[in-house]
């Protein structure tokens, strides 16, 4: 294990030495960097705007849909029981496709194959609401990446992507979220980029959106071509971020600036 | 770095002939840790430089640096404060740092403002283009040398 996190100034002056991964005891949710006001908004279900998406997802859960006219509840019963802890262990390995799948992809699969409905759009209201509702059933539970060796290549690829300098600004995710998480970029806290709150209500979006949408924002910020929604690359990044956040509490729906 | 090390940089030299949008960067001379002459031969305008440094979309300086600019609460703290930089560094030293900080510190997070993009997956709009044009670099240099108050 590495020694104490060097002070930011030292990390910058050290020149050439990447500070590297964050030790388990130093992990902090994005929530801890927010203003007291935004934290309070997340903490109270009556003021957390993400709860509207949870309610919409709850409705969709029991609405029959598709050519089979089945609801999620027809097969899965009470989500509070059947979906408890599920989001905390995604992305998971998907036998059908022989590769890792993220939670939204998993839900989309049930929508098309089990209900016989149209493929839901990745950032569309319906899939975002269902994903938020399902992930909400894990709130408070620890992130628990499965001990499945078949996920190892995706986690390694996610880590490689996280540490690759991208875009015209030539910055890696790690340049900010591992090496400078204590700092401020313009007026914003950099944070450690933990995926614990997703899907989140983002004040800047005035809406709930996925982890992939959040990562897209950072890629566009460094002037890189973002990956396609649902791509293996994003699922790999998700798998790495979840392993990096193992044990931290799920917060869905998180609120972020 | 000790004695003046002279290197001539013309990064566009190896482009294949026939490509239509071959980026051409003008050459500059590095002496020690400085670029002594202005890029393109003409010095810039400090007022224009002040505006460029303070704006948030194009130069991006204040995302990382604080300094004697408007809106301190929107300035980042990932880099040294630029207050007094005109005392700490010479004009030529400032120029090299803005042009290509990675020449001095390959691990720096500061983008090379006058170079060809080095990161992967550069978005189409920015491909094959430096972040700033020589005239804009010179405006910024002309402004930073005036920051004498420490």
């Amino acid at each position: 294990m590495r020694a104490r996190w060097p002070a930011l100034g030292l990390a910058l002056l050290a020149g050439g030495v990447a500070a590297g991964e964050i030790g388990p005891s130093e992990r902090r949710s994005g929530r801890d960097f927010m203003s007291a006001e935004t934290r309070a908004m997340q903490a109270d279900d009556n003021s957390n705007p993400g709860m509207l998406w949870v309610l919409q997802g709850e409705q969709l859960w029991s609405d029959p849909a598709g050519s089979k006219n089945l609801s999620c509840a027809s097969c899965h019963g009470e989500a509070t029981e059947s979906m408890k802890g599920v989001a905390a262990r995604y992305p998971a390995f998907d036998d059908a496709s022989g590769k890792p799948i993220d939670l939204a992809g998993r839900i989309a699969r049930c929508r098309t194959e089990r209900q016989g409905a149209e493929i839901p759009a990745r950032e569309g209201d319906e899939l975002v609401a269902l994903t938020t509702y399902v992930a909400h059933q894990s709130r408070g539970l620890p992130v628990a990446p499965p001990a499945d060796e078949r996920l190892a290549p995706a986690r390694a690829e996610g880590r490689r992507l996280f540490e690759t300098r991208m875009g015209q600004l030539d910055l890696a995710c790690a340049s900010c979220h591992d090496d400078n998480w204590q700092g401020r970029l313009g007026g914003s806290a950099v944070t450690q980029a933990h995926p614990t709150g997703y899907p989140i209500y983002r004040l800047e979006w005035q809406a709930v959106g996925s982890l992939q949408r959040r990562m897209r924002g950072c890629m566009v910020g460094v002037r890189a071509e973002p990956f396609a929604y649902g791509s293996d690359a994003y699922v790999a990044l998700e798998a790495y971020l979840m392993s990096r956040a193992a044990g931290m509490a799920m917060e869905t729906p998180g609120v972020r600036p | 770095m000790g004695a003046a090390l002279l290197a001539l940089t013309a990064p566009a030299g190896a482009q294949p002939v026939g490509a239509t949008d071959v980026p051409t960067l003008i050459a500059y001379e590095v002496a020690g840790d400085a670029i002594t002459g202005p890029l393109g031969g003409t010095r810039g305008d400090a007022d224009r430089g002040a505006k460029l440094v303070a704006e948030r979309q194009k130069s991006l300086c204040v995302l990382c640096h604080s300094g004697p600019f408007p809106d301190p609460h929107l300035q980042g703290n990932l880099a040294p404060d630029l207050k007094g930089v005109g005392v700490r560094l010479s004009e030529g030293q400032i120029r090299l740092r803005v042009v290509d900080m990675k020449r001095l510190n390959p691990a720096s997070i500061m983008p090379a403002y006058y170079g060809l993009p080095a990161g992967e997956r550069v978005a189409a709009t920015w491909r094959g283009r430096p972040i700033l044009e020589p005239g804009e670099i010179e405006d910024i240099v002309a402004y930073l040398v005036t920051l004498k108050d420490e």
Side-chain angles (χ1 to χ4, degrees), chain A residues 61 72-73 75-86 89 134 137:
Chain A
W61 179 264
C72 315
C75 297
H76 293 290
E78 291 287 335
T80 45
E81 288 302 318
S82 64
M83 293 293 133
K84 196 172 179 176
V86 170
R89 52 178 169 75
V134 169
Q137 311 308 321

Side-chain angles (χ1 to χ4, degrees), chain A residues 88-177:
Chain A
R89 52 178 169 75
Y90 268 71
F93 195 82
D94 173 43
D95 291 312
S97 60
K99 58 186 193 184
I101 191 169
D102 64 338
L103 183 63
R106 189 73 201 75
I107 293 171
R109 176 83 62 70
C110 273
R111 200 107 180 117
T112 51
E113 290 177 10
R114 310 268 174 193
Q115 294 180 300
E118 305 259 299
I119 301 176
R122 264 281 162 168
E123 290 301 310
D125 259 357
E126 176 188 287
L127 188 55
V128 169
L130 279 167
T131 310
T132 308
Y133 178 60
V134 169
H136 180 61
Q137 311 308 321
S138 295
R139 186 165 72 170
L141 296 175
V143 172
D148 183 341
E149 265 313 298
R150 297 172 302 174
L151 291 168
R155 288 183 187 133
E157 171 63 3
R159 180 174 182 168
R160 188 191 69 77
L161 291 169
F162 198 79
E163 293 171 352
T164 299
R165 284 182 179 255
M166 288 186 216
Q168 192 193 35
L169 304 190
D170 196 25
L171 288 166
C173 317
S175 311
C176 290
H177 295 298

Side-chain angles (χ1 to χ4, degrees), chain A residues 165 167-168 170 184 186 225, chain B residues 63 75 77 102 120-121:
Chain A
R165 284 182 179 255
Q168 192 193 35
D170 196 25
R184 237 179 34 241
E225 197 66 52
Chain B
L63 291 189
Q75 297 171 8
N77 62 2
K102 283 167 197 152
E120 289 185 11
R121 300 183 66 83

Side-chain angles (χ1 to χ4, degrees), chain A residues 21-245:
Chain A
E21 269 191 300
I22 298 163
S25 64
E26 281 164 313
R27 289 178 187 168
R28 286 170 66 193
S29 159
R31 180 186 48 196
D32 298 356
F33 299 79
M34 305 192 307
S35 67
E37 201 185 14
T38 315
R39 278 205 305 272
M41 186 189 278
Q42 172 170 328
D44 176 3
D45 283 350
N46 293 316
S47 68
N48 182 336
M51 288 310 290
L52 293 173
W53 275 256
V54 170
L55 289 177
Q56 193 192 338
E58 184 176 20
Q59 184 65 52
L60 287 166
W61 179 264
S62 43
D63 282 348
S67 58
K68 303 192 176 143
N69 205 33
L70 292 169
S71 71
C72 315
S74 314
C75 297
H76 293 290
E78 291 287 335
T80 45
E81 288 302 318
S82 64
M83 293 293 133
K84 196 172 179 176
V86 170
R89 52 178 169 75
Y90 268 71
F93 195 82
D94 173 43
D95 291 312
S97 60
K99 58 186 193 184
I101 191 169
D102 64 338
L103 183 63
R106 189 73 201 75
I107 293 171
R109 176 83 62 70
C110 273
R111 200 107 180 117
T112 51
E113 290 177 10
R114 310 268 174 193
Q115 294 180 300
E118 305 259 299
I119 301 176
R122 264 281 162 168
E123 290 301 310
D125 259 357
E126 176 188 287
L127 188 55
V128 169
L130 279 167
T131 310
T132 308
Y133 178 60
V134 169
H136 180 61
Q137 311 308 321
S138 295
R139 186 165 72 170
L141 296 175
V143 172
D148 183 341
E149 265 313 298
R150 297 172 302 174
L151 291 168
R155 288 183 187 133
E157 171 63 3
R159 180 174 182 168
R160 188 191 69 77
L161 291 169
F162 198 79
E163 293 171 352
T164 299
R165 284 182 179 255
M166 288 186 216
Q168 192 193 35
L169 304 190
D170 196 25
L171 288 166
C173 317
S175 311
C176 290
H177 295 298
D178 279 345
D179 300 347
N180 284 294
W181 61 265
Q182 288 154 313
R184 237 179 34 241
L185 182 75
S188 309
V190 172
T191 81
Q192 301 178 350
H194 290 302
T196 45
Y198 288 79
I200 54 160
Y201 181 86
R202 193 166 180 217
L203 297 166
E204 191 185 304
W205 298 332
Q206 299 277 297
V208 167
S210 70
L211 178 56
Q212 296 193 6
R213 180 170 175 196
R214 187 64 195 83
M215 294 194 282
R216 183 181 202 280
C218 282
M219 290 187 77
V220 170
V222 299
R223 301 181 176 175
E225 197 66 52
F227 299 117
Y229 283 131
S231 62
D232 294 350
Y234 271 147
V235 175
L237 273 167
E238 285 192 41
Y240 173 60
L241 289 181
M242 288 296 270
S243 67
R244 190 169 163 273

Side-chain angles (χ1 to χ4, degrees), chain B residues 23-93:
Chain B
T24 38
L25 295 189
I26 53 172
Y28 55 84
E29 239 174 60
V30 177
D33 72 341
I35 299 171
T36 20
L39 295 187
T42 319
R43 286 206 157 65
D45 174 84
D47 289 340
R48 281 200 306 260
K51 290 202 188 81
L52 251 179
V53 167
E55 72 77 55
R56 319 181 59 81
Q57 307 300 324
K58 183 169 189 172
S59 78
L60 312 168
C61 312
V62 292
L63 291 189
C64 294
H65 290 277
S66 52
F69 326 121
D71 297 328
H73 66 289
L74 294 178
Q75 297 171 8
N77 62 2
L78 307 181
D81 194 301
L82 290 175
K83 168 175 67 181
V85 71
V87 175
R88 291 196 295 281
L89 299 173
S90 71
E91 180 198 89
Q93 286 174 315

